[in-house]
Amino acid sequence: LDSGTGREVQRMLHTLSPQNIAELLESSPPRIRQLLWKLIDSDVEGEVLQELPDEVQAQILATMDTDEMVAVMEGLDADDVADLLQQLPERVMGEVLSAMSENDRQRVERVLPYDEETAGGLMDTDTVSVRPNLPLEVVLRYLRRHERLPESTDSLFVVNRRDQFIGLLPLTKLLTSSPNATVREVMTTDVKPIPADMPDAEVAQLFAKYDWITAPVVDGEDRLLGRITIDDVVDVIREDADHSLMSLAGLDEEEDTFAPIIRTAPRRAVWLGINLLTALLASWVINLFQGTIDKVVALAVLMPIVASMGGVAGSQTLTVVIRGMALGQIGRSNLRWLLSRELGTGALNGILWSAVMGGIAALWFGDWRIAVIIIAAMLINLITAAVAGAILPVVLRALRIDPALAGGVALTTVTDVVGFLSFLGLATWFFA
Amino acid sequence: LDSGTGREVQRMLHTLSPQNIAELLESSPPRIRQLLWKLIDSDVEGEVLQELPDEVQAQILATMDTDEMVAVMEGLDADDVADLLQQLPERVMGEVLSAMSENDRQRVERVLPYDEETAGGLMDTDTVSVRPNLPLEVVLRYLRRHERLPESTDSLFVVNRRDQFIGLLPLTKLLTSSPNATVREVMTTDVKPIPADMPDAEVAQLFAKYDWITAPVVDGEDRLLGRITIDDVVDVIREDADHSLMSLAGLDEEEDTFAPIIRTAPRRAVWLGINLLTALLASWVINLFQGTIDKVVALAVLMPIVASMGGVAGSQTLTVVIRGMALGQIGRSNLRWLLSRELGTGALNGILWSAVMGGIAALWFGDWRIAVIIIAAMLINLITAAVAGAILPVVLRALRIDPALAGGVALTTVTDVVGFLSFLGLATWFFA
């Protein structure tokens, strides 16, 4: 890429699908991204833009004027246009909307009121609906009058006179049933439509559970508003799964891998600052025992081991619990069992590794008292870590704090403080 | 649940869908799981079993005899039966296979040779295929002779005389085109079929990229073997996304949240043991400077801060790089840019927080030398952390070691050793 001239690159881009171009943009540093964007054929710009993560979209939109934006958004699904518009400042959004064609604007305005993270924000409005009393033969003729059906259409939605959803007519059923049967005789009615205000994570769980490809979205009175397709749900599943991973390191799952320093540094600085506070708390605990350390320097050598083993054991418990909560597996009824399992595991591994470490300490420093102290401190800290790892996420959730984001810091604070406190406290008592 | 009698529970289970029963089983501790399983209607047992994660499947299968297994597997898709069989010991698998009906066995044996983590392992064999020269009218009549089409069918596969895949006939096109057109005139040929040996992660990327619902799987000579459906791909996407999260804590993404202590404790013990080794390495480094700590005890108070800040900064870089690699965004061409971005971010945040910490240390201990030492050590460690976080995963991948699994430990080792070494080393030099 670096060596190619503009025209060569342009020719290469011309041969790629919009999805491949989006991938290329996403894996490029900001400056190259801007260069590449200028070389893309204008008729695929919209499709490429729509495939990019939010942060990259915002970055590219920021370089365009209103007319360019309108041109780019033409021909996209209403839900995708709404997603793009939501990256813009309020004022610009209004300008773009009023520059759109009447028809496009209406389509978009129907989905725009819904929060991006709800069913309404995920849906598009390209549905094909039929009435229950029609014979299939008429439905078949009606479909043949369409140039094409919306992408991923696997069912028609059956609605009554008041546009309320009453059932699904899968295309496979339409094709295998007698043309004389009516829609009502053939349709499936065991699918509950999705209310527009359902959170997107719940929508994703329903899709994954029932293997849906598309599902109808309705308002409070069961009127059909649109449909959600599996491809948008796959994105939600990916982001939700990413959320825990990124949050545990204090990062945002929408974070652009190739964001420039001026965006990355301040975000991470906040997280480092929070961690500095917790590290200072641990130091303050150590400071209480300066006298003891002064007497027995070996304590300073061994104390990080107690804290670190507690941190590792705790983060294992924490990860299992956070994932279980994200999958909706953990509630009040099984938390007690989980806590006792974690306690047992912590105690067993505590006994094993503290014994090993006690032996090493005794050999290393030739002092049985140090061995006893580190065994006791490790046991205390590993058991504390198990309890904290299991209970912290539940407590944080009850306080409406994201456990994936705050859990790691809270846990390290506990295991550091308890680790240093138990080890140095016991030592002070023994060597007093 | 605890208070209900067996019959009440049975009645309750009877009203739940197989997916809901599976969810309930998955969120139950082992003993309750066994009890519940006995109360499930035998005709949904297969569907329930198939929805469960591998580890739970194996646990339940272990309690059945051959006849029960054959009964449970009846009526499942061939790929799902193959997945279940792969949880069994070789000998039992043979027994179950030979107890199956001839027809079922053949279907299963066609998919069994493929590794579970390839396209072949994901596919099922329920495809509907048509010849290119047929008029659509004939296709429509042919479909109407079916009782039902396989689930999630959104396209028919077009094959030639030698059963080689040549194109797709989407149902939506079949329904909107003239019945007199031939399959060849209407089919899409821009979809490349998936080779049976493609790794499942690549399959998932293709589905996510092109918004597929089903895709054909072919052998080395392009002969149609079966199809992959989006619902199985969604599971792959979930597991892959989970992989990084769980591995960073030394856990397996297939891990059952409610595994009993005897399974959890040994697995986690290994990880704790590895971490004990790296903690001992850090202790050994501290031990080198016993003399200096003996002189200035304040060093023991502050040294964990340097190591901990390095660990946090490094794990942020590591997480971004590991996720970028999992999404296929990071290659040789952009690694250098990423490394310099991380270096810049590390340096900026290093300057900020080491200055803050230097001020705190000067006020706390009233000694400018300690302030200078901690500023320098934090700068060194934060920059080292950025480099290690960006380069370690790439090096590990080149060595064919899973970066998500080994990256965290390797990183902590580096930041601990460099943190203690730089802080105590500088102190020794200053206070000599």
Side-chain angles (χ1 to χ4, degrees):
Chain A
L1 184 71
D2 296 326
S3 57
T5 66
R7 187 156 312 173
E8 277 168 43
V9 176
Q10 201 160 17
R11 211 172 299 136
M12 193 262 308
L13 286 174
H14 195 69
T15 64
L16 293 177
S17 68
Q19 291 88 352
N20 281 323
I21 299 176
E23 249 180 26
L24 185 64
L25 281 176
E26 210 182 325
S27 341
S28 298
R31 224 161 39 103
I32 297 187
R33 218 176 250 170
Q34 298 290 357
L35 286 176
L36 282 175
W37 177 256
K38 286 194 198 116
L39 297 173
I40 295 174
D41 289 351
S42 58
D43 51 331
V44 297
E45 278 180 349
E47 271 182 273
V48 171
L49 197 56
Q50 169 231 319
E51 297 280 338
L52 291 169
D54 287 3
E55 204 177 302
V56 185
Q57 287 178 351
Q59 208 178 311
I60 290 176
L61 285 172
T63 66
M64 297 193 203
D65 64 29
T66 312
D67 290 342
E68 283 172 319
M69 288 191 211
V70 173
V72 159
M73 291 176 190
E74 216 160 87
L76 293 184
D77 285 348
D79 61 326
D80 295 325
V81 174
D83 286 349
L84 287 178
L85 287 176
Q86 271 155 3
Q87 309 300 323
L88 298 174
E90 196 85 21
R91 196 184 46 78
V92 184
M93 195 205 288
E95 283 175 20
V96 175
L97 269 174
S98 53
M100 279 183 171
S101 75
E102 184 63 25
N103 191 7
D104 280 358
R105 184 169 65 240
Q106 278 178 357
R107 278 195 322 143
V108 173
E109 278 177 345
R110 232 176 304 157
V111 298
L112 209 49
Y114 298 102
D115 186 281
E116 206 189 341
E117 307 207 327
T118 64
L122 278 179
M123 76 180 176
D124 61 61
T125 50
D126 313 333
T127 56
V128 185
S129 54
V130 291
R131 288 289 166 76
N133 51 336
L134 295 177
L136 297 189
E137 199 180 4
V138 178
V139 175
L140 288 168
R141 254 186 290 141
Y142 166 70
L143 291 180
R144 214 162 286 137
R145 287 215 305 271
H146 289 70
E147 276 257 317
R148 49 179 285 273
L149 296 181
E151 259 176 79
S152 321
T153 298
D154 69 326
S155 319
L156 310 180
F157 297 143
V158 187
V159 294
N160 64 16
R161 227 169 264 276
R162 282 156 52 212
D163 221 24
Q164 287 169 316
F165 175 83
I166 52 175
L168 276 183
L169 176 60
L171 298 189
T172 53
K173 273 209 167 171
L174 174 62
L175 286 164
T176 52
S177 307
S178 151
N180 303 320
T182 65
V183 169
R184 188 187 301 281
E185 288 163 7
V186 176
M187 70 182 184
T188 40
T189 53
D190 57 355
V191 168
K192 266 187 58 175
I194 296 177
D197 55 2
M198 183 183 274
D200 60 359
E202 258 176 71
V203 174
Q205 274 174 4
L206 286 176
F207 268 78
K209 194 155 130 186
Y210 296 112
D211 297 347
W212 288 340
I213 291 165
T214 62
V217 180
V218 295
D219 66 11
E221 277 135 39
D222 266 358
R223 274 188 306 250
L224 185 67
L225 295 173
R227 60 167 196 156
I228 296 179
T229 52
I230 181 77
D231 54 302
D232 293 320
V233 173
V234 166
D235 295 340
V236 174
I237 290 175
R238 279 201 164 181
E239 276 176 22
D240 281 357
D242 251 17
H243 175 76
S244 306
L245 173 69
M246 297 295 271
S247 298
L248 277 174
L251 302 164
D252 191 301
E253 73 268 17
E254 295 271 357
E255 173 143 335
D256 171 10
T257 309
F258 295 92
I261 293 183
I262 33 162
R263 302 194 66 126
T264 325
R267 280 189 204 150
R268 300 212 193 150
V270 177
W271 194 244
L272 286 166
I274 294 170
N275 276 282
L276 184 57
L277 282 179
T278 79
L280 277 169
L281 186 64
S283 287
W284 176 77
V285 173
I286 301 173
N287 191 47
L288 299 177
F289 301 98
Q290 274 210 31
T292 314
I293 296 174
D294 214 5
K295 242 188 268 174
V296 191
V297 189
L299 297 175
V301 175
L302 294 177
M303 67 184 188
I305 293 182
V306 181
S308 137
M309 290 296 278
V312 170
S315 79
Q316 291 195 317
T317 303
L318 185 76
T319 306
V320 169
V321 174
I322 285 178
R323 189 186 64 147
M325 282 179 21
L327 296 177
Q329 292 174 343
I330 295 179
R332 266 175 79 193
S333 64
N334 49 24
L335 184 66
R336 188 186 254 194
W337 185 90
L338 201 68
L339 181 61
S340 68
R341 200 268 315 269
E342 289 301 325
L343 261 176
T345 305
L348 274 181
N349 283 328
I351 292 170
L352 171 67
W353 290 117
S354 67
V356 171
M357 191 55 223
I360 295 174
L363 290 174
W364 192 353
F365 296 100
D367 188 333
W368 63 269
R369 285 173 303 182
I370 292 184
V372 171
I373 294 166
I374 203 166
I375 289 176
M378 272 180 72
L379 260 176
I380 293 172
N381 207 23
L382 261 75
I383 290 174
T384 309
V387 177
I391 287 186
L392 274 176
V394 181
V395 171
L396 289 170
R397 185 170 58 170
L399 297 172
R400 304 188 166 276
I401 301 172
D402 178 6
L405 187 61
V409 192
L411 178 82
T412 320
T413 311
V414 171
T415 53
D416 276 2
V417 168
V418 172
F420 292 131
L421 199 62
S422 58
F423 183 64
L424 297 175
L426 284 168
T428 306
W429 189 68
F430 259 79
F431 289 104
Chain B
L1 184 69
D2 296 324
S3 58
T5 66
R7 186 155 312 170
E8 278 169 42
V9 176
Q10 201 159 18
R11 209 172 302 136
M12 193 261 308
L13 286 174
H14 194 70
T15 64
L16 294 177
S17 68
Q19 292 88 352
N20 281 322
I21 300 177
E23 250 180 23
L24 184 64
L25 281 176
E26 211 183 323
S27 341
S28 299
R31 223 160 41 102
I32 297 187
R33 217 177 252 168
Q34 298 291 355
L35 286 175
L36 283 176
W37 177 256
K38 287 194 198 115
L39 297 173
I40 295 174
D41 290 351
S42 59
D43 51 331
V44 297
E45 278 181 348
E47 270 182 274
V48 172
L49 197 58
Q50 167 230 320
E51 297 280 339
L52 291 168
D54 286 3
E55 204 177 299
V56 185
Q57 287 177 351
Q59 208 179 311
I60 290 177
L61 285 172
T63 67
M64 296 192 205
D65 64 27
T66 312
D67 290 341
E68 284 172 318
M69 288 191 211
V70 173
V72 159
M73 292 176 189
E74 217 161 84
L76 294 183
D77 285 349
D79 61 327
D80 295 324
V81 175
D83 287 349
L84 287 179
L85 287 176
Q86 270 154 2
Q87 309 299 323
L88 298 174
E90 195 85 22
R91 194 185 46 80
V92 184
M93 195 204 287
E95 282 174 20
V96 175
L97 269 175
S98 52
M100 279 182 170
S101 74
E102 184 63 26
N103 190 6
D104 280 359
R105 184 168 65 242
Q106 278 178 357
R107 279 195 321 144
V108 174
E109 277 176 345
R110 232 177 303 157
V111 297
L112 208 49
Y114 298 102
D115 186 281
E116 206 189 341
E117 308 208 325
T118 63
L122 279 179
M123 77 180 175
D124 61 61
T125 50
D126 314 332
T127 57
V128 184
S129 55
V130 292
R131 288 290 167 74
N133 51 338
L134 294 177
L136 297 189
E137 200 179 5
V138 177
V139 174
L140 288 168
R141 254 186 289 142
Y142 166 71
L143 291 180
R144 214 161 287 139
R145 285 214 307 271
H146 289 69
E147 275 261 314
R148 48 179 285 272
L149 296 181
E151 258 176 80
S152 320
T153 299
D154 70 325
S155 319
L156 310 180
F157 297 142
V158 187
V159 294
N160 65 15
R161 229 170 262 275
R162 283 156 54 212
D163 220 25
Q164 287 169 316
F165 174 84
I166 52 176
L168 277 183
L169 176 60
L171 297 188
T172 53
K173 272 209 168 171
L174 174 61
L175 286 164
T176 52
S177 307
S178 151
N180 304 320
T182 65
V183 170
R184 188 188 301 281
E185 287 164 9
V186 175
M187 71 182 185
T188 40
T189 53
D190 55 357
V191 168
K192 267 188 58 176
I194 297 176
D197 56 1
M198 183 184 275
D200 59 359
E202 257 176 70
V203 174
Q205 274 175 3
L206 286 175
F207 267 79
K209 195 155 130 184
Y210 295 113
D211 298 347
W212 288 340
I213 290 166
T214 61
V217 180
V218 295
D219 67 10
E221 277 135 38
D222 266 359
R223 273 188 306 248
L224 186 67
L225 294 173
R227 59 167 196 155
I228 296 179
T229 51
I230 180 76
D231 54 303
D232 293 320
V233 173
V234 166
D235 295 340
V236 173
I237 290 175
R238 280 201 165 185
E239 276 176 24
D240 281 358
D242 251 16
H243 175 76
S244 306
L245 173 69
M246 297 294 272
S247 298
L248 276 174
L251 302 164
D252 192 300
E253 72 268 18
E254 295 271 357
E255 174 143 334
D256 172 9
T257 309
F258 295 92
I261 294 183
I262 33 162
R263 302 193 67 125
T264 325
R267 279 188 205 150
R268 300 212 194 150
V270 176
W271 194 244
L272 286 166
I274 294 170
N275 277 281
L276 183 56
L277 282 179
T278 77
L280 278 169
L281 187 64
S283 287
W284 176 78
V285 172
I286 301 172
N287 192 46
L288 300 177
F289 300 100
Q290 274 210 31
T292 313
I293 296 175
D294 216 4
K295 240 189 269 172
V296 190
V297 190
L299 297 175
V301 174
L302 294 176
M303 68 184 185
I305 293 181
V306 180
S308 137
M309 290 296 277
V312 170
S315 78
Q316 292 196 315
T317 304
L318 185 76
T319 306
V320 169
V321 174
I322 285 178
R323 188 185 66 148
M325 281 177 24
L327 295 176
Q329 292 175 343
I330 296 179
R332 266 175 80 194
S333 64
N334 49 23
L335 184 66
R336 187 186 254 194
W337 185 90
L338 200 68
L339 181 62
S340 68
R341 201 267 316 266
E342 289 301 325
L343 262 176
T345 305
L348 273 182
N349 282 327
I351 291 170
L352 171 66
W353 291 117
S354 67
V356 171
M357 190 56 224
I360 295 175
L363 289 175
W364 191 352
F365 296 100
D367 187 334
W368 65 268
R369 285 172 302 181
I370 292 185
V372 171
I373 294 167
I374 203 165
I375 289 176
M378 273 181 71
L379 261 177
I380 292 173
N381 207 22
L382 261 75
I383 290 173
T384 310
V387 176
I391 288 186
L392 274 176
V394 182
V395 172
L396 288 170
R397 185 169 60 171
L399 297 172
R400 301 186 168 275
I401 301 172
D402 178 5
L405 187 61
V409 192
L411 178 82
T412 320
T413 311
V414 171
T415 53
D416 276 2
V417 168
V418 172
F420 292 130
L421 200 62
S422 58
F423 183 63
L424 297 175
L426 284 168
T428 306
W429 187 68
F430 259 79
F431 289 105

